[in-house]
Amino acid sequence: MSQTEAPESFPSPRPTPLRKGSGRIVRRISVKLSTGFAGYASAKKNAGNSCSLSPSEGERVRVRGRSAWPALLILLILNFVAVAEPRFPPPDFTETNHQIPGTTTPAARAELLQYLDVGVLFTCLGVAVWFVHKQRSRRGLFWLGIFSLAYFGFWRLGCVCAIGAPQNIILGLFDASYAVPLTVIAFFAAPLLVALFAGRAFCAGVCPHGALQDLLLIKPVKVPAWLEHALGVLPFIFLGFGLTFAATGTGFPICRYDPIVPIFRLSGPNLLIALAALTLVLGMFVGRPYCRFLCPYGALLKLASLTAKWRVRVTPDLCTQCQLCANSCPFGAMREPSASKTDPKFLAPDRRRLGWLLLLLPVLIAGGAWIGSLLAVPVSKLNPTVELAERYIRQQQSPVDYGVMTPETLSLQRAERDPEAVLKSATDLRQRFWLACLIFGGWTGLVIGVKLASLSLRTTRTDFEPDRGACFACARCFRSCPQELVRIGQMPASEVPQTAVAVNT
Amino acid sequence: MTSSSDNSQPAGLDCGGKRSATPLSAASVPSDKAVSPLRSATAVQDTGSLSRTAWIAAVFCLLVSGYMLYQHVLAAERDPWKSPQLLALKEKLRATPTDEAVKTEIRRLDLEFRQRYKRRLALDVTGGWLLVGGVAVLLLTASQSAKLQLLPWRPKLRADVAGEARTLSARARWSVTALGVLTGMGLLTLALSATSPLPRSAAELDKLLGKGGESELAANVPNLAEFQANWPQFRGSDGGGATTNERFELNSSSVIWKTPIPAPGYNSPIVWSNRVFISGGDAVKREVFCFDAVGGKLLWQRAIENVPGSPAKPPEISDATGWAAPTMATDGRRAFAIFVNGDLAAVNFDGSLAWAKHLGVPKNAYGHAASLAVAPGKLIVQWDQDEEAPGGSKLLAFDCVTGKQLWERSKPTHGSWASPIIATAAGKSQIITLALPFVMSHALADGSELWRADVMEGEITPSPITAGGLVVAVSPNTGLLGLRMDGAGDVTKSHVAWKAEDNIPDVTSPVSNGEVVFTVTSSGGLACFDLKDGKQVWQHELELEVQASPAIAGKQLLLISTKGDLISLLAGREFKEQGRSKLEDTFHASPALADGRLFLRGATNLWCLAAERKKAE
């Protein structure tokens, strides 16, 4: 990209005219929001004298001040999170032979309401794209996130969501009897289509998981870049794991082990409650831990956004490499300009390394597939039919008297009514697991191999810009750029620094 | 490969004249020595108080969480569904279902657990609110403290951008490699350490299910001819008490051997090949005995003890029934026995125990007396109890080889001491049972009910037989009935072919040669009825006490009185006594006929009689 040309981006937004002295007004608002304790008066005083604060710092202060109130609101209703109780067992009516009425299934949600969900999704995606690329408004994305958290999170209880939708799709592909609902297809496809053109706008302000984590971020700790690269592989592996289970009809582990959904539903198994608490605590210090290191749908969005037509850019104009945005991203997505010249002595070794890694790729895939094929036995035990069949066979080898009925012995008795069907079904499932695990192992090898190869590629970058795949388009970095402040009228153009220190050497 | 932002011009120093260049002056860059307003004394003091508040809130949250977690851990032991204490009491109740003290304790404990559960729920709600408050305070104070401690970020001089990038890439590659190795090793360990008893292929599955020709199951199922050639259950292979190929001349030389029986019991002998099986026992010990059919030697005896679930304290048993009233059954590979306390066992022909299980102590006025029935691969147990017995009456089927229950059907019946029979009619294998108030037929395959007739009254002791396409059943209070077997549902009004009301036995079961039906009462009243219409053909008073059911061998009708009078009559339309012999013993059990021998169980000895074997005329 030439410096003399305007970057290929969303059409440039017009500067927003503000009242005279708007900077002081903004600072007083930020003080009022950071309330109520001993620090209030001092915070007011300090904020009033915060002329020496850089715009990015002031932005961070304002964001953190606002974050506390929504977090409090959420936590006020999170008391039910602690109530993770097993279902209340019915009394034992052995003596009176009272027949407990059978459980009933509630009626499915009205179809119109399901389409309403899809409509809200489309609308939110459009609004997010507008806020990211047109308005370049962090505040807009913030409140959109609040709405998404309330609607898709606490109102819709986190289901249906785009994160779990790939499992429905894969099950529909492998199970002819399963019809994937149109709404699920919409939830799966819409954010991906948007990512292909406008980046991860879904993550910016539509995904309730991301919105919740955004609100909890208090003191971001920078994750070392080398560790971030390693952990960045995990979402792809988790995606493969989830699709493996879904394809065999065993279940939806991405949904089952989602640590944030129990917060939306205010209940859940003990393990998930513990994971939710851990995620919340972690989210106070590590920006969006679930999104960055576990979200399987994020892995797909990362791939889709690599080809985005409209990229998220920190500066609305030219990058002067003032470095003021270098520390503005709490999610480790900011990338710095690379060296203008590559030392020739490193060219040959780099190329050799890349060549070896590319040759290693099929070996990794084959090795992963082999290990995956061996996983069929332990992994298939998670399928209830396989587990029941194994328990039945063991029980035949050492017969036991049932005694008092427990849920386990009841299921075993049911298996004994037709053991042939149970055993045959379990054997067939084991075969399916073999194939699915083989593919999963190969996929894991592929992911690791491609990651290693990508780390050996030389990238040339002239501007400070967010990584296309890793950027959540949250707009936190915009206000750190002096060019943005000029655009919105918070700073005269004459004060834009050229280069604070030399960067490229 | 390069990114799309590749640019050949040096970056940053030339803005192309689009704006005025205002280089940063030294004065505008905060020096290291300047004191940030955030670091003023007041700010430090405020930061301290906020931090302390945050720590207090954090400790408070930890204490509340820890207490709630502790309560959760305790809850596992007090789960109303899985509490070990409660399960143990329920096991005890199964063994002694009438123990009111145990019932009271179960109710008390169950109520106590449920009340604790409700209290814990309320505690969780309170704890949750406390946690919310604590976390809210923590978040607010922590965020404020962090804000006050925030230092402005300052750009740094980066002397070696390329070097830093190479170092980062190298570290990232190693970290990804380490992750890959750890993942691979972990998955490999998981894969290699896992085992499974599940068959790996369809062929192994077939072998497990016994579908192959070499399977154990296939090798252990005798054919129909073998069944018919032996006496595998009460009153023979079809439960009818008749065999066709024998003829006995009864005189003093007929007794081949007699062997003392080690334990008491009223069950009849069963015979398979050269083995004779009976069971016996008392409150202390129950056993299965195997005798050599040729010489009468006791080959082995197997105690049936330590059956899981069997009550330690023996239940009250009527002396008139004893502990071993039901007759055994055999499938030609194993001998099956059931005792009055509900213990069911299978013993291999070598005397080793194949399997044993406890069905519960039946609640039965006189004690459980229904004998076992056997079909290829299936052992049938008629489990009729008193009307108020918990669990009710059932018909059970077990796998002969493994003992696992194949199916169970509840029966709307009670009060029966008759034995089930298995017959084929209307294209189905049917299990025929008698109890109050129904004659019932169930499918052998899955136990589903086929038909029933509401015709039974009195104390149901005589067992049914099949002859001429009919079920011949004795309703002690009402008569002898012939029912057709091709019905479905309630056939009370449609399938009773005939009914005879005179000379109805109260204990012994009828026997038929296919043309007439013979019955004998406890007082020795012998009668003959036409099978087609139930009309009495003849009647004769033997003036003997008879408890054993009669048997037919060819054209001979064989009876044994309680005091040992063995009588042979013509099995025909006229009364004709053909022979009589006296055996010094007391006889309640019914005879068994196999391979030219007649086996009788007395109170003291097991008897074997044979005569010159002649072909049926």
Side-chain angles (χ1 to χ4, degrees):
Chain A
M1 180 190 71
S2 166
Q3 274 193 315
T4 59
E5 299 172 356
E8 185 183 7
S9 64
F10 214 85
S12 300
R14 291 176 296 175
T16 307
L18 293 176
R19 289 178 294 167
K20 185 177 180 182
S22 58
R24 287 197 293 277
I25 290 175
V26 171
R27 283 193 287 275
R28 280 203 292 274
I29 290 172
S30 74
V31 165
K32 285 180 181 176
L33 287 174
S34 59
T35 78
F37 294 94
Y40 170 78
S42 298
K44 182 176 179 182
K45 176 183 173 183
N46 291 330
N49 296 328
S50 60
C51 297
S52 59
L53 286 177
S54 69
S56 60
E57 290 159 356
E59 177 66 21
R60 282 199 295 276
V61 169
R62 282 196 292 274
V63 169
R64 289 202 188 91
R66 280 199 293 272
S67 72
W69 286 108
L72 177 60
L73 180 65
I74 291 160
L75 288 169
L76 281 175
I77 52 178
L78 276 182
N79 69 93
F80 296 105
V81 172
V83 185
E85 295 297 336
R87 292 191 179 276
F88 193 83
D92 194 352
F93 293 115
T94 309
E95 285 193 333
T96 59
N97 286 326
H98 170 69
Q99 297 300 318
I100 298 171
T103 54
T104 55
T105 307
R109 197 159 181 265
E111 203 167 343
L112 182 64
L113 293 177
Q114 295 179 32
Y115 290 134
L116 175 65
D117 290 341
V118 176
V120 171
L121 173 72
F122 288 169
T123 304
C124 287
L125 281 170
V127 171
V129 171
W130 184 63
F131 277 136
V132 171
H133 294 285
K134 183 73 175 176
Q135 292 294 101
R136 294 176 59 87
S137 168
R138 169 64 195 158
R139 180 180 297 181
L141 286 172
F142 173 80
W143 287 110
L144 178 65
I146 295 292
F147 169 78
S148 300
L149 181 63
Y151 185 85
F152 293 114
F154 290 97
W155 174 248
R156 296 295 300 119
L157 302 178
C159 186
V160 61
C161 79
I163 297 174
Q167 298 168 117
N168 300 76
I169 303 296
I170 202 76
L171 180 61
L173 291 175
F174 283 89
D175 186 351
S177 65
Y178 179 75
V180 185
L182 290 176
T183 51
V184 173
I185 295 175
F187 268 82
F188 170 75
L192 284 175
L193 283 173
V194 168
L196 284 173
F197 292 93
R200 298 175 70 165
F202 175 73
C203 301
V206 186
C207 178
H209 290 60
L212 178 66
Q213 292 169 88
D214 257 359
L215 295 176
L216 291 171
L217 187 58
I218 294 177
K219 187 177 175 107
V221 171
K222 189 176 171 66
V223 176
W226 59 268
L227 182 61
E228 179 127 17
H229 280 293
L231 296 178
V233 169
L234 293 179
F236 291 90
I237 297 177
F238 191 39
L239 176 67
F241 175 78
L243 295 184
T244 298
F245 267 80
T248 56
T250 300
F252 289 176
I254 294 174
C255 304
R256 188 181 180 91
Y257 298 109
D258 189 320
I260 296 181
V261 164
I263 301 172
F264 297 151
R265 299 182 182 179
L266 310 180
S267 68
N270 289 342
L271 173 65
L272 267 296
I273 292 294
L275 285 177
L278 181 67
T279 305
L280 291 179
V281 171
L282 200 60
M284 293 179 192
F285 305 101
V286 178
R288 295 197 178 208
Y290 179 80
C291 303
R292 290 159 76 186
F293 306 129
L294 203 60
C295 179
Y297 192 68
L300 296 175
L301 289 174
K302 182 183 277 191
L303 295 175
S305 59
L306 290 176
T307 62
K309 189 175 188 299
W310 298 301
R311 291 182 293 118
V312 175
R313 298 191 72 249
V314 181
T315 175
D317 203 334
L318 300 175
C319 178
T320 61
Q321 298 199 11
C322 63
Q323 296 190 59
L324 291 173
C325 63
N327 204 41
S328 61
C329 179
F331 309 124
M334 192 61 67
R335 298 290 179 263
E336 298 178 346
S338 60
S340 56
K341 292 178 185 174
T342 305
D343 193 335
K345 70 177 180 184
F346 293 110
L347 283 176
D350 287 350
R351 286 184 188 132
R352 268 201 304 274
R353 184 192 310 114
L354 180 62
W356 278 115
L357 287 174
L358 289 174
L359 283 176
L360 188 64
L361 186 60
V363 175
L364 287 174
I365 295 172
W370 174 71
I371 294 176
S373 67
L374 299 177
L375 283 173
V377 169
V379 169
S380 63
K381 289 176 189 286
L382 297 175
N383 184 287
T385 302
V386 173
E387 189 272 337
L388 179 62
E390 291 190 345
R391 192 147 41 93
Y392 170 79
I393 294 174
R394 281 193 210 97
Q395 193 262 352
Q396 300 308 305
Q397 292 163 357
S398 54
V400 291
D401 183 37
Y402 286 125
V404 176
M405 283 300 161
T406 60
E408 290 76 21
T409 53
L410 278 172
S411 66
L412 203 54
Q413 266 204 332
R414 284 193 289 272
E416 288 190 342
R417 294 192 196 285
D418 194 358
E420 185 175 341
V422 171
L423 290 173
K424 191 169 187 313
S425 179
T427 307
D428 290 342
L429 274 168
R430 179 64 61 78
Q431 291 296 322
R432 291 179 67 186
F433 265 98
W434 178 86
L435 181 61
C437 287
L438 183 135
I439 296 173
F440 167 65
W443 164 255
T444 304
L446 174 68
V447 165
I448 292 176
V450 167
K451 183 66 179 177
L452 285 173
S454 70
L455 289 170
S456 299
L457 296 172
R458 280 183 295 113
T459 55
T460 304
R461 195 178 293 110
T462 57
D463 294 351
F464 281 84
E465 60 184 13
D467 183 276
R468 289 194 193 193
C471 175
F472 295 119
C474 65
R476 286 170 188 259
C477 56
F478 291 171
R479 296 295 180 92
S480 63
C481 179
Q483 302 279 33
E484 177 70 14
L485 295 178
V486 168
R487 182 186 74 81
I488 62 177
Q490 286 194 7
M491 194 167 84
S494 59
E495 290 187 15
V496 173
Q498 285 301 299
T499 304
V501 291
V503 174
N504 295 317
T505 57
Chain B
M1 187 180 292
T2 59
S3 72
S4 59
S5 57
D6 192 9
N7 192 328
S8 59
Q9 285 193 357
L13 298 177
D14 182 359
C15 63
K18 290 197 173 181
R19 58 184 180 276
S20 59
T22 310
L24 288 175
S25 63
S28 64
V29 176
S31 71
D32 290 342
K33 296 182 181 177
V35 177
S36 165
L38 296 178
R39 291 294 182 91
S40 64
T42 309
V44 170
Q45 188 178 3
D46 295 333
T47 302
S49 65
L50 286 171
S51 293
R52 279 192 295 275
T53 309
W55 273 109
I56 293 170
V59 170
F60 175 78
C61 290
L62 280 173
L63 288 174
V64 172
S65 303
Y67 181 73
M68 292 171 71
L69 189 63
Y70 171 69
Q71 290 296 324
H72 270 270
V73 170
L74 281 184
E77 295 179 359
R78 297 169 186 170
D79 186 342
W81 187 231
K82 293 183 182 176
S83 159
Q85 196 179 355
L86 206 51
L87 285 176
L89 280 172
K90 288 182 180 179
E91 276 286 357
K92 196 174 173 184
L93 185 63
R94 284 183 70 238
T96 54
T98 57
D99 192 334
E100 290 299 326
V102 172
K103 288 182 193 175
T104 305
E105 180 62 16
I106 288 175
R107 291 189 187 110
R108 186 196 68 78
L109 208 57
D110 187 86
L111 179 63
E112 180 186 331
F113 286 170
R114 290 173 192 276
Q115 286 172 338
R116 279 184 183 169
Y117 174 78
K118 287 292 188 184
R119 283 198 295 270
R120 190 164 59 83
L121 278 183
L123 187 72
D124 280 345
V125 172
T126 306
W129 280 110
L130 290 174
L131 211 56
V132 166
V135 172
V137 170
L138 171 65
L139 278 179
L140 285 172
T141 52
S143 64
Q144 287 300 308
S145 178
K147 190 168 60 177
L148 290 176
Q149 294 180 61
L150 184 66
L151 291 175
W153 184 79
R154 300 180 63 190
K156 298 169 189 169
L157 175 66
R158 295 169 65 222
D160 184 14
V161 174
E164 287 178 10
R166 276 197 304 278
T167 304
L168 170 63
S169 295
R171 282 182 184 171
R173 281 193 297 272
W174 279 114
S175 66
V176 171
T177 303
L179 178 75
V181 168
L182 282 173
T183 305
M185 284 175 60
L187 293 178
L188 198 58
T189 305
L190 178 67
L192 295 177
S193 61
T195 57
S196 173
L198 206 60
R200 296 187 180 190
S201 63
E204 286 187 23
L205 177 62
D206 287 341
K207 189 178 175 186
L208 179 70
L209 293 171
K211 285 187 176 179
E214 299 175 356
S215 70
E216 182 187 353
L217 184 61
N220 273 301
V221 177
N223 55 35
L224 184 62
E226 275 189 276
F227 256 91
Q228 291 175 340
N230 291 280
W231 199 264
Q233 58 191 0
F234 178 60
R235 306 194 78 217
S237 59
D238 64 351
T243 181
T244 57
N245 294 332
E246 315 299 338
R247 187 176 186 277
F248 295 90
E249 293 283 350
L250 298 178
N251 52 50
S252 59
S253 65
S254 298
V255 178
I256 301 176
W257 53 261
K258 65 175 183 181
T259 302
I261 296 176
Y266 292 115
N267 58 88
S268 305
I270 60 171
V271 184
W272 190 280
S273 184
N274 58 347
R275 287 177 167 81
V276 183
F277 299 95
I278 58 173
S279 64
D282 52 26
V284 177
K285 194 178 190 181
R286 276 76 58 197
E287 294 177 280
V288 171
F289 304 98
C290 177
F291 298 85
D292 175 32
V294 177
K297 181 184 173 185
L298 177 63
L299 296 175
W300 49 259
Q301 59 193 87
R302 166 60 58 185
I304 307 302
E305 55 194 359
N306 301 322
V307 178
S310 190
K313 182 183 172 186
E316 296 285 332
I317 299 296
S318 166
D319 290 339
T321 307
W323 282 80
T327 297
M328 294 175 62
T330 178
D331 63 352
R333 307 293 181 264
R334 287 152 286 269
F336 310 102
I338 186 169
F339 296 95
V340 178
N341 64 346
D343 286 347
L344 176 67
V347 184
N348 294 313
F349 273 25
D350 63 358
S352 59
L353 184 69
W355 51 263
K357 57 201 325 167
H358 179 68
L359 305 183
V361 178
K363 191 168 182 183
N364 196 310
Y366 295 124
H368 186 73
S371 299
L372 300 171
V374 67
K378 287 190 179 68
L379 179 68
I380 306 299
V381 177
Q382 180 177 344
W383 193 253
D384 272 297
Q385 303 189 79
D386 292 343
E387 207 163 2
E388 65 276 10
S393 300
K394 302 172 192 174
L395 190 62
L396 307 162
F398 298 90
D399 180 81
C400 291
V401 178
T402 61
K404 68 178 182 292
Q405 185 172 301
L406 299 175
W407 49 256
E408 173 185 311
R409 296 287 177 180
S410 292
K411 293 169 77 248
T413 55
H414 59 92
S416 173
W417 298 270
S419 300
I421 60 170
I422 300 172
T424 301
K428 296 173 191 169
S429 294
Q430 304 184 25
I431 304 172
I432 310 297
T433 58
L434 305 184
L436 284 176
F438 300 112
V439 177
M440 295 190 76
S441 170
H442 291 79
L444 177 64
D446 59 1
S448 57
E449 182 182 328
L450 298 174
W451 53 262
R452 64 169 75 172
D454 187 354
V455 294
M456 304 302 290
E457 287 183 33
E459 292 185 339
I460 313 301
T461 307
S463 299
I465 63 169
T466 55
L470 298 176
V471 169
V472 179
V474 176
S475 175
N477 282 9
T478 53
L480 182 71
L481 300 121
L483 299 97
R484 289 191 296 277
M485 299 169 64
D486 56 355
D490 189 339
V491 300
T492 307
K493 295 182 180 177
S494 60
H495 279 64
V496 178
W498 50 258
K499 182 178 176 182
E501 296 181 351
D502 296 323
N503 294 304
I504 306 304
D506 53 343
V507 175
T508 63
S509 304
V511 67
S512 173
N513 63 355
E515 293 179 9
V516 291
V517 179
F518 300 96
T519 64
V520 60
T521 65
S522 300
S523 57
L526 182 63
C528 174
F529 302 87
D530 193 312
L531 183 61
K532 288 180 185 172
D533 53 15
K535 288 183 181 174
Q536 185 170 294
V537 177
W538 55 259
Q539 183 265 340
H540 182 81
E541 292 294 335
L542 295 172
E543 295 181 352
L544 297 168
E545 184 185 358
V546 180
Q547 297 278 310
S549 297
I552 287 179
K555 291 186 176 182
Q556 279 183 297
L557 177 65
L558 297 171
L559 293 170
I560 181 77
S561 73
T562 308
K563 293 186 178 174
D565 299 287
L566 180 60
I567 305 169
S568 168
L569 304 109
L570 176 68
R573 290 182 175 271
E574 62 174 326
F575 174 79
K576 181 179 180 183
E577 185 171 324
Q578 296 176 328
R580 188 178 285 227
S581 180
K582 181 73 172 178
L583 303 176
E584 295 300 324
D585 208 332
T586 305
F587 294 90
H588 293 92
S590 301
L593 299 161
D595 198 24
R597 288 185 166 85
L598 171 66
F599 299 91
L600 294 167
R601 179 189 185 150
T604 311
N605 298 292
L606 180 65
W607 299 74
C608 176
L609 287 79
E612 188 176 323
R613 189 172 175 184
K614 295 180 182 179
K615 294 292 182 186
E617 296 173 3

